[in-house]
Amino acid sequence: MNPHRFNPPSPSSVSSLFLRFSILLLLSLPDAKGKAIWTAHLNITFQVGNRIISELGENGVFGNHSPLESVSGAVVLPEGWNQNACNPFTNFSRPEKADSWVALIERGGCTFTHKINVAAEKGANGVIIFNYPGTGNKVFPMSHQGTENIVAVMIGNLKGMELLHLIQKGVYVNIIIKVGRMHMPWLSQCVMFLFTFVSATVAYICLYCAWTSDISVAYTRRRRQVKADVKKAIGQLQLRVLREGHKEVDPHEDTCVVCFDAYKPQDVVRILTCKHFFHKTCIDPWLLAHRTCPMCKCDILKR
Ligand SMILES: [Zn+2]
Ligand SMILES: [Zn+2]
């Protein structure tokens, strides 16, 4: 391979290509204008026997149309054979001692807006909706347009079922819902993408530098080897001292094609493998630079 002919793309051109690609990708992200997600801290308190149990966890997320406010009260279930509160006449079994209450409703059967409105019309201060069975503790920000005056959060199915079973056993459960932390899913995607982009660029530049360095070292080594071979080949070429009477010193004969001087007695000439000869002082530097006979282009390394 001839390194002079090798012309790889420069790191700067590849970096600019990466950059253009990343900007295009960022612009095409579907959630680039998405809303922030707010988590909800749930402080749950209930009494079992003489023991008061209290637990605090970041178990929920606020709905997209919920006010970001704290709300508290007794957790109350919808009456009836299911907990989805889709029937507009659903009643809630509110404990007498509860001043304020929060409805615990199961997801499904009708829209989030419908459920929340049913609970709000019955006087709930807030609504907790728990996810479908089989979804573990997965939650997402609900869409419930038209219910902007009541706090609505989603919790996972496991946590919802835990509360449901406690209340069905007659345990009075109190809850305080507080605004937790903000998450920006699209921002995380951007950060992840930029991290990948920077890592890929750095890795490429490192590989490129290592690669060109290897090529350069190999090329220098090869040049040194060729030069040593040429020097050795020159040393093996025959030398001759011209004398009076030799036909080469005849003024009508050819001159040295390197210096254009005629050959004279006592001149030292170097005879190449092609039988062409020249002044030693003329041809040795020429061969070191060109390796070939100046007349017939014969390569001294090949003969
Ligand atoms: Zn000469
Ligand atoms: Zn020759």
Side-chain angles (χ1 to χ4, degrees), residues 12-80:
S12 60
S13 68
V14 173
S15 297
S16 70
L17 194 71
F18 266 124
L19 191 62
R20 266 180 272 163
F21 177 66
S22 66
I23 290 168
L24 270 175
L25 204 69
L26 283 178
L27 289 174
S28 65
L29 281 175
D31 291 330
K33 289 181 180 174
K35 277 188 168 185
I37 295 173
W38 286 89
T39 62
H41 287 285
L42 306 185
N43 188 353
I44 300 163
T45 311
F46 54 93
Q47 191 168 355
V48 179
N50 292 328
R51 281 199 312 148
I52 292 176
I53 297 169
S54 186
E55 60 174 64
L56 177 66
E58 195 178 18
N59 297 318
V61 289
F62 277 84
N64 275 336
H65 301 92
S66 167
L68 293 171
E69 292 170 6
S70 289
V71 69
S72 62
V75 183
V76 177
L77 303 178
E79 290 176 0

Side-chain angles (χ1 to χ4, degrees), residues 272-278 292-298:
L272 273 52
T273 47
C274 55
K275 303 303 176 198
H276 287 125
F277 61 90
F278 314 89
T292 54
C293 169
M295 290 182 74
C296 68
K297 303 293 176 197
C298 163

Side-chain angles (χ1 to χ4, degrees), residues 228-253:
D229 291 348
V230 169
K231 271 186 183 168
K232 192 177 168 192
I234 292 172
Q236 289 170 346
L237 292 171
Q238 191 186 346
L239 286 174
R240 190 174 165 209
V241 182
L242 299 179
R243 306 282 180 207
E244 204 72 61
H246 283 163
K247 70 167 181 143
E248 290 87 354
V249 298
D250 185 329
H252 301 295
E253 283 295 325

Side-chain angles (χ1 to χ4, degrees), residues 106-229:
E106 186 179 13
R107 182 185 175 193
C110 55
T111 63
F112 293 122
T113 302
H114 184 86
K115 294 168 191 290
I116 294 165
N117 278 335
V118 167
E121 279 167 19
K122 300 291 177 186
N125 292 66
V127 177
I128 302 168
I129 294 179
F130 60 97
N131 209 347
Y132 290 133
T135 54
N137 272 324
K138 283 184 187 163
V139 288
F140 63 91
M142 301 174 289
S143 182
H144 47 95
Q145 218 157 2
T147 62
E148 282 80 1
N149 295 324
I150 182 164
V151 169
V153 300
M154 173 176 269
I155 61 171
N157 178 265
L158 296 179
K159 180 51 70 181
M161 293 305 289
E162 192 183 311
L163 294 175
L164 179 78
H165 290 147
L166 278 173
I167 297 161
Q168 282 176 334
K169 282 182 202 163
V171 177
Y172 178 89
V173 179
N174 194 73
I175 198 161
I176 304 168
I177 301 171
K178 286 184 177 170
V179 181
R181 292 175 297 171
M182 184 180 71
H183 290 269
M184 307 279 266
W186 60 270
L187 190 64
S188 308
Q189 283 181 0
C190 290
V191 169
M192 277 304 293
F193 181 79
L194 283 174
F195 177 76
T196 310
F197 159 69
V198 169
S199 306
T201 308
V202 168
Y204 176 82
I205 290 171
C206 290
L207 283 173
Y208 177 86
C209 292
W211 185 30
T212 50
S213 160
D214 280 354
I215 288 172
S216 168
V217 167
Y219 178 63
T220 309
R221 198 177 294 149
R222 172 84 187 127
R223 270 179 67 98
R224 275 200 205 122
Q225 184 60 46
V226 169
K227 204 166 181 179
D229 291 348

Side-chain angles (χ1 to χ4, degrees), residues 255-261 263 278-283:
T255 56
C256 169
V257 298
V258 182
C259 66
F260 300 111
D261 280 350
Y263 295 107
F278 314 89
H279 289 120
K280 177 184 181 296
T281 50
C282 296
I283 195 63

